[in-house]
């Protein structure tokens, strides 16, 4: 069996076996798993390889691009500002970012950006991946365009631009870019190894993601004016884009966070543990309750799947039948990474890997691990 490094309590020992099995089968190449209970880490394991050629072991401090799991860090950043009374989810975006009122967006509220209901689920064409590296240009583009559906009427997953939308609100409120705010107010105090915008000094620790099989979607046969097509082509980076210095160093709060399961679970344990971890207090229970204000519940017009969105995070619904009833907040990243927060039992679970599967939001590897965690 594949060697698994790290530590785990006896209650969660089966997780090491499951990770070893996926490494042996080739479903995983390199991966990490972490669980916290009441803010304390009870599982911190990893194994496999940091590269597809299997020449460099996945180590304790290996990090990788986690795609949309990054969004949960952006959500947490907005929660910290809400906790401090500086950001109101029910206030109009234009109150903080006046230029956003253009083209029929004057009444869009911050909660619409959080819950994927703003109608602005991507950039309008023409747009290239290089444009989203330019913060001023890319946020001005979003401010100028019109919504693609009536804001507040159902969700359309904000796949790549949600971090720019919320990040610009954060910048207007606080003065700092999202990556700097997150580093100084959240990751730094928690001593958590997660980055939105990676310094080149950290590049040698990065495990490049291994691109997934092509999606079984023939976009050429679909309506080019559909929200789905406009979202997934506005723009459409290949997974290998994440290997570039430009991607790594940019501020893409929806998709370019770099970390491992340990750092993801530790940071999100703030939400699970009532707002405090190891004496670092960032949120009150009342602010955490805001997460569970339902924003949309139905088939998402971008994902094509039933999703129940709260304030940023997805909430427990038929979309996650492997979780027992309870107050869960979760999300995942393209290819498989995932984070699940159990508010009732104060548990966080995180899975981060380099071999991407074809699923947009998780796959059986993470589901099998999560099922084991939450059966207890």
């Amino acid at each position: 069996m594949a060697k698994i490094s790290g530590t785990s309590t006896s209650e969660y020992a089966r997780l090491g076996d499951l990770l070893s099995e996926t490494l042996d089968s080739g479903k995983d190449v390199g991966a990490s798993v972490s669980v916290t209970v009441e803010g304390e880490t009870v599982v911190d394991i990893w194994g496999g390889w940091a590269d597809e050629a299997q020449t460099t072991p996945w180590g304790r401090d290996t990090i990788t691009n986690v795609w949309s799991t990054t969004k949960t860090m952006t959500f947490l950043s907005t929660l910290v500002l809400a906790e401090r009374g500086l950001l109101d989810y029910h206030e109009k975006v234009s109150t903080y970012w006046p230029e956003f009122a253009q083209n029929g967006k004057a009444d869009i509220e911050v909660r619409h950006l959080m819950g994927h209901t703003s109608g602005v689920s991507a950039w309008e064409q023409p747009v290239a991946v290089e444009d989203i590296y330019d913060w001023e240009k890319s946020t001005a583009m979003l401010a100028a365009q019109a919504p693609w559906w009536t804001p507040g009427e159902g969700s359309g997953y904000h796949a790549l631009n949600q971090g720019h939308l919320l990040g610009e609100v954060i910048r207007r409120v606080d003065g700092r870019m999202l990556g700097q705010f997150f580093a100084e107010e959240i990751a730094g105090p928690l001593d958590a190894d997660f980055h939105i915008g990676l310094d080149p000094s950290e590049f040698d620790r990065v495990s490049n993601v291994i691109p997934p099989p092509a999606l079984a979607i023939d976009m050429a046969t679909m309506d080019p004016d559909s929200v789905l097509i406009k979202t997934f082509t506005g723009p459409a980076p290949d997974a290998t884009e994440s290997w570039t210095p430009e991607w790594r160093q940019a501020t893409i709060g929806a998709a370019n966070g770099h970390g491992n399961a340990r750092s993801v679970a530790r940071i999100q344990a703030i939400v699970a543990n009532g707002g405090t971890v190891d004496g670092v207090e960032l949120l009150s229970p009342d602010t955490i309750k805001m997460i569970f204000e339902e924003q949309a519940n139905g088939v998402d017009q971008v994902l094509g799947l039933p999703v129940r969105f709260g304030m940023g995070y997805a909430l427990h619904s038929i979309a996650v039948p492997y979780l027992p009833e309870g107050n869960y907040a979760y999300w995942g990243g393209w290819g498989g990474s995932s984070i699940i927060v159990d508010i009732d039992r104060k548990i966080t679970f995180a899975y981060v890997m380099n071999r991407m599967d074809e699923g947009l939001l998780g796959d059986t590897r993470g589901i099998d691990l999560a099922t084991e965690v939450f059966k207890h």
Side-chain angles (χ1 to χ4, degrees):
M1 293 181 68
K3 178 184 177 183
I4 303 300
S5 300
T7 60
S8 175
T9 61
S10 58
E11 184 178 10
Y12 296 100
R14 174 67 180 147
L15 294 177
D17 296 336
L18 290 173
L19 181 57
S20 184
E21 288 170 9
T22 62
L23 290 166
D24 283 337
S25 70
K27 292 180 180 178
D28 268 317
V29 173
S32 57
V33 179
S34 186
V35 178
T36 72
V37 178
E38 297 184 347
E40 296 295 324
T41 299
V42 296
V43 177
D44 178 16
I45 58 175
W46 59 90
W49 303 92
D51 60 328
E52 190 171 13
Q54 301 188 5
T55 62
T56 304
W58 182 293
R60 182 185 189 279
D61 297 321
T62 297
I63 56 176
T64 193
N65 193 107
V66 301
W67 299 104
S68 287
T69 294
T70 310
K71 290 180 172 73
T72 64
M73 306 304 173
T74 300
F75 302 152
L76 184 54
S77 298
T78 70
L79 283 167
V80 169
L81 287 176
E83 172 71 24
R84 297 173 183 174
L86 300 173
L87 180 63
D88 183 346
Y89 290 143
H90 295 271
E91 185 57 79
K92 294 178 181 178
V93 174
S94 59
T95 299
Y96 308 108
W97 179 6
E99 298 88 338
F100 190 77
Q102 298 176 67
N103 227 336
K105 301 195 302 302
D107 293 329
I108 293 176
E109 299 174 10
V110 176
R111 66 186 180 91
H112 296 135
L113 305 184
M114 295 289 290
H116 303 273
T117 67
S118 75
V120 185
S121 56
W123 282 271
E124 282 187 335
Q125 297 292 347
V127 60
V129 174
E130 292 74 21
D131 292 327
I132 73 173
Y133 299 154
D134 183 331
W135 188 264
E136 295 293 344
K137 179 180 182 179
S138 57
T139 54
M141 290 168 69
L142 291 170
Q145 69 188 62
W148 292 335
W149 69 91
T150 302
E153 294 188 4
S155 68
Y157 185 52
H158 294 20
L160 196 57
N161 71 337
Q162 192 178 35
H164 284 71
L165 292 166
L166 293 172
E168 183 62 7
V169 172
I170 289 169
R171 187 173 78 93
R172 297 299 181 104
V173 169
D174 178 77
R176 286 173 285 182
M177 289 286 287
L178 168 61
Q180 182 183 1
F181 178 88
F182 173 78
E184 294 176 355
E185 301 293 339
I186 298 173
L190 289 169
D191 192 24
D193 187 14
F194 195 96
H195 314 261
I196 303 175
L198 191 64
D199 190 275
S201 64
E202 309 290 350
F203 283 6
D204 62 352
R205 298 194 293 124
V206 175
S207 170
N208 285 336
V209 297
I210 300 166
L215 284 173
I217 299 175
D218 184 1
M219 291 194 178
T221 64
M222 301 184 71
D223 180 1
D225 291 324
S226 69
V227 172
L228 184 155
I229 293 298
K230 290 194 292 186
T231 298
F232 283 138
T233 59
D238 183 88
T240 59
E241 186 72 26
S242 67
W243 301 353
T244 67
E246 292 80 9
W247 176 276
R248 291 177 179 178
Q249 294 177 81
T251 300
I252 308 173
N256 85 327
H258 283 74
N260 50 35
R262 181 191 315 110
S263 60
V264 171
R266 178 167 176 81
I267 291 169
Q268 294 299 324
I270 281 284
V271 176
N273 200 47
T276 303
V277 170
D278 285 347
V280 177
E281 184 176 354
L282 295 179
L283 304 175
S284 65
D286 284 343
T287 298
I288 292 170
K289 287 179 183 177
M290 294 179 186
I291 293 171
F292 294 89
E293 294 180 15
E294 184 179 289
Q295 300 302 305
N297 190 357
V299 176
D300 182 274
Q301 56 191 315
V302 172
L303 298 174
L305 302 169
V307 187
R308 179 175 170 238
F309 283 115
M311 208 66 77
Y313 302 80
L315 307 180
H316 192 272
S317 72
I318 60 172
V320 283
Y322 52 90
L323 296 178
E325 287 298 320
N327 289 307
Y328 297 90
Y330 73 93
W331 202 238
W334 181 26
S337 68
S338 61
I339 173 69
I340 302 172
V341 179
D342 180 345
I343 305 296
D344 297 332
R345 294 186 289 173
K346 299 185 176 181
I347 296 173
T348 63
F349 157 78
Y351 164 67
V352 169
M353 75 305 132
N354 55 13
R355 195 193 76 76
M356 298 172 63
D357 208 341
E358 60 186 350
L360 283 170
L361 296 169
D363 55 58
T364 58
R365 296 168 299 175
I367 290 173
D368 289 346
L369 290 160
T371 300
E372 178 64 25
V373 170
F374 294 103
K375 77 178 185 181
H376 291 285

